[in-house]
Amino acid sequence: MIGTIGEVDRIFYRSLEELESHHLDEAIKSCMEAICGYEELGEYFKSARCQNLQGVIYAAMDNETMAVDCYLAGLEYCRKHQVKGLAHLFYCNIGTRYLELGDTAKAIDFFLKGLEDLTENGNDLSDLYEKWLIVNKLNLGVAYFRFGRLEEAEENLKAAMELVESTGDNTYTFTIMCGLSKIYLAKEEEGYVRENLHTMMEYVRLKLAPLNDYMQDIISFIDILKAIGEFDLWREAIEEFDQLSREVKSPTVMLQAVEFWLDYYSTRGMLEEHKRMCIRHTQLYMALKKYINQDKIMALNAKLELQQAEDDVKAAKLRLERDDVTGLKNRYAMQMHGPKKVELAYKTGTMLVVGILDLDHFKELNDTCGHLRGDTALKQVGNILDNCLDGYGDIYRYGGDEFVLIIPNGNYEVADKVARKIIKSIAKSHIPNKAAPINGELTISLGICCCIPKETDRLEDLFDIADSVLYQVKNNGKNNFGIKLIQESESCSI
């Protein structure tokens, strides 16, 4: 188990750094480690955010299937753990996948879902709210542009730029400027583009955005330069990207750089350079195919490892709620789930049956026959109780020779039927107990409370009633049961 939140935070930020440097194998491993760490610490908001990052990393690997799996799982995780203010991330990233695949209408639907969620649930996100709102408006602007809805595209991109200026966060300034430039070119208005060319070129040199976003920005910027015939800046932009591609050594990024050169050389009529770059493109394409296959294998391994980690956590929780001797649910499980049963019975106005049972003369059995024989008797009784409660409710080993039964949506008749079945089944099992006065066989005593809980009633209140009934049964000779029915006009508190 990860020790502290600080340690897991460092793993998360390491994963971000590895993504930005395009060391994707390392990034996905760190991300998965962080997810498990946050989950173990109960940091559900951070775990959900990390699951979104996991999808982003798979998308950077060109593994769309795994990416979408992560986003859908993240949405379900947010619903399950009532995580507010993060669903928009998953909606936006699913929208981005649709946008890249050419289904702009669906992309817009998801971006709008993301905006709605962020508006409704993002007020407590502090600085993150404005940062994520910038991204959402930017996504909508790009999608509306591709859909040919230029006015809505311009409106959203201008809103994003206003947020950038108010926050001073320039991470996406270049992206927004490229988007606005494309809109104005589509309107045949080059003024904005010409005025901001050198500013945009400066952002090319600064490389502020994460690598995948930066690559998309360069694609947009080169389209703009090509459209207005700025060949010198076009070449300079390619050189900046080419240098970066050699630094990160990613086949995908290097192949994109080569494709930039192919387009440039073809447009300028530089045939020898174009021919040379075609050979380079073939070499990189073959390397990329191998790289993608390795990524798919790694992604599959990672998913299996994550599934194993989740299974291990579930198994650990299951072991935590199980009694080692009988295999029944234990006292911890009862304390975790019992109060919820009381609350549900109160809200639905249904009767809850709570019983306390112990083994008669069990101490004498342990003293005369030993604890191993005692454990065997507990196992036998546990199996009988489990069978008798099957279909009715749950049985827990409370401790020592005491067991607790809880039957939701019960009534007096059910309680009486189950109690008689238990007494009869114990008798038919003929479990030896030389210290017992009845045929030298083990018997049990059982006290039951039947009650429709009031708002203030607690599980302990029902226990107290059942325990007092058990005490009376013990005083009256044991090997029997008693039931106390609390009327609706009465309180379970005694």
Side-chain angles (χ1 to χ4, degrees):
M1 179 177 288
I2 302 297
T4 66
I5 189 67
E7 290 175 315
V8 186
D9 283 343
R10 284 191 287 275
I11 295 169
F12 170 71
Y13 287 115
R14 185 176 73 210
S15 181
L16 278 175
E17 291 170 1
E18 290 162 344
L19 171 62
E20 289 177 6
S21 61
H22 220 68
H23 296 142
L24 302 180
D25 291 0
E26 293 83 356
I28 199 68
K29 290 175 184 176
S30 298
C31 186
M32 289 173 60
E33 188 178 351
I35 289 171
C36 292
Y38 285 135
E39 176 73 20
E40 290 174 6
L41 293 168
E43 292 284 344
Y44 300 127
F45 181 92
K46 291 189 173 184
S47 181
R49 188 179 176 188
C50 209
Q51 288 178 49
N52 178 69
L53 175 63
Q54 185 182 24
V56 172
I57 296 169
Y58 280 128
M61 292 175 167
D62 295 320
N63 193 327
E64 297 293 335
T65 302
M66 287 292 288
V68 173
D69 280 351
C70 289
Y71 300 142
L72 293 176
L75 283 170
E76 179 58 31
Y77 187 88
C78 287
R79 283 191 285 267
K80 178 181 178 181
H81 294 285
Q82 298 182 333
V83 176
K84 300 293 184 183
L86 280 186
H88 71 96
L89 285 179
F90 299 104
Y91 286 134
C92 283
N93 280 316
I94 292 171
T96 300
R97 303 278 71 74
Y98 275 117
L99 194 63
E100 291 180 356
L101 293 170
D103 194 335
T104 308
K106 274 198 173 178
I108 291 173
D109 286 343
F110 276 101
F111 292 149
L112 289 173
K113 281 184 180 180
L115 181 59
E116 181 182 1
D117 176 77
L118 185 58
T119 304
E120 289 180 1
N121 301 307
N123 294 330
D124 297 330
L125 295 174
S126 188
D127 295 341
L128 288 173
Y129 173 76
E130 291 180 322
K131 181 184 175 94
W132 287 337
L133 188 57
I134 291 170
V135 174
N136 198 285
K137 291 288 186 181
L138 171 57
N139 286 333
L140 277 169
V142 172
Y144 280 131
F145 174 76
R146 292 195 186 178
F147 217 52
R149 293 158 63 172
L150 301 185
E151 298 305 320
E152 289 161 292
E154 183 178 357
E155 178 186 342
N156 278 278
L157 288 175
K158 282 184 173 179
M161 186 62 84
E162 288 174 6
L163 287 165
V164 164
E165 291 169 354
S166 67
T167 60
D169 183 353
N170 290 312
T171 305
Y172 296 103
T173 302
F174 182 36
T175 314
I176 298 168
M177 293 179 77
C178 286
L180 286 169
S181 294
K182 285 190 166 185
I183 292 170
Y184 294 130
L185 285 176
K187 292 180 176 182
E188 298 183 353
E189 300 172 8
E190 289 190 14
Y192 175 89
V193 184
R194 296 286 181 186
E195 289 171 12
N196 290 282
L197 270 181
H198 291 286
T199 302
M200 287 190 281
M201 192 63 221
E202 189 57 33
Y203 279 110
V204 171
R205 299 185 189 101
L206 288 173
K207 305 177 178 71
L208 294 178
L211 181 57
N212 279 354
D213 293 336
Y214 178 74
M215 185 161 66
Q216 293 304 314
D217 291 343
I218 296 296
I219 292 172
S220 295
F221 188 51
I222 285 176
D223 286 344
I224 294 164
L225 295 173
K226 183 179 179 181
I228 62 176
E230 285 286 344
F231 297 114
D232 290 343
L233 288 179
W234 181 2
R235 184 181 186 97
E236 187 179 346
I238 297 175
E239 287 171 347
E240 289 287 343
F241 186 81
D242 196 9
Q243 179 185 349
L244 177 64
S245 74
R246 295 175 190 278
E247 290 172 2
V248 299
K249 297 179 181 178
S250 162
T252 304
V253 180
M254 294 172 74
L255 190 66
Q256 181 62 68
V258 169
E259 289 177 356
F260 285 150
W261 283 122
L262 284 170
D263 188 24
Y264 179 80
Y265 291 142
S266 176
T267 302
R268 301 303 305 276
M270 303 168 70
L271 299 182
E272 286 301 318
E273 290 85 348
H274 187 271
K275 182 178 179 181
R276 174 171 51 82
M277 205 54 67
C278 283
I279 296 171
R280 176 66 176 151
H281 187 275
T282 302
Q283 293 170 338
L284 281 173
Y285 179 75
M286 297 304 294
L288 180 61
K289 282 188 67 175
K290 182 178 179 181
Y291 178 77
I292 289 173
N293 287 337
Q294 289 173 342
D295 269 357
K296 287 180 179 178
I297 292 171
M298 192 280 296
L300 179 59
N301 289 340
K303 189 167 186 177
L304 291 173
E305 288 173 11
L306 180 60
Q307 184 63 53
Q308 184 60 52
E310 291 173 351
D311 290 345
D312 290 344
V313 170
K314 290 176 183 177
K317 288 181 179 178
L318 185 62
R319 288 195 298 271
L320 190 64
E321 296 185 2
R322 288 290 169 183
D323 174 56
D324 291 337
V325 176
T326 63
L328 299 174
K329 296 174 184 177
N330 59 17
R331 183 172 182 168
Y332 172 77
M334 185 195 71
Q335 291 170 335
M336 290 293 293
H337 305 295
K340 296 176 185 176
K341 297 179 188 292
V342 177
E343 182 181 5
L344 181 61
Y346 158 69
K347 288 181 176 178
T348 57
T350 54
M351 183 167 287
L352 191 67
V353 176
V354 175
I356 301 179
L357 173 154
D358 73 7
L359 279 56
D360 300 328
H361 307 287
F362 185 70
K363 182 179 183 303
E364 292 87 344
L365 172 62
N366 267 338
D367 290 344
T368 57
C369 300
H371 289 282
L372 287 177
R373 183 68 191 87
D375 284 353
T376 300
L378 288 171
K379 290 178 187 177
Q380 291 175 284
V381 171
N383 288 333
I384 292 168
L385 296 176
D386 197 30
N387 289 330
C388 290
L389 266 291
D390 186 32
Y392 289 103
D394 295 305
I395 185 76
Y396 306 86
R397 185 187 175 199
Y398 192 69
D401 65 328
E402 290 186 317
F403 297 83
V404 172
L405 61 90
I406 301 179
I407 302 175
N409 199 26
N411 52 47
Y412 186 93
E413 289 73 21
V414 168
D416 182 78
K417 180 179 179 180
V418 170
R420 292 182 186 279
K421 186 176 181 182
I422 290 172
I423 295 290
K424 185 177 180 180
S425 297
I426 293 290
K428 288 175 66 176
S429 67
H430 304 294
I431 301 171
N433 183 2
K434 296 177 182 178
I438 302 176
N439 301 325
E441 293 180 349
L442 185 139
T443 59
I444 62 97
S445 297
L446 171 62
I448 296 175
C449 168
C450 298
C451 171
I452 299 176
K454 307 294 188 296
E455 184 175 8
T456 57
D457 289 334
R458 301 172 304 156
L459 184 61
E460 290 82 358
D461 298 325
L462 279 69
F463 276 3
D464 287 342
I465 296 171
D467 198 39
S468 66
V469 175
L470 174 62
Y471 182 77
Q472 294 171 11
V473 172
K474 287 285 194 181
N475 283 342
N476 291 332
K478 306 177 180 179
N479 189 31
N480 207 342
F481 70 92
I483 302 175
K484 172 71 173 177
L485 177 63
I486 306 298
Q487 302 299 326
E488 288 191 36
S489 58
E490 300 179 88
S491 172
C492 293
S493 302
I494 59 172

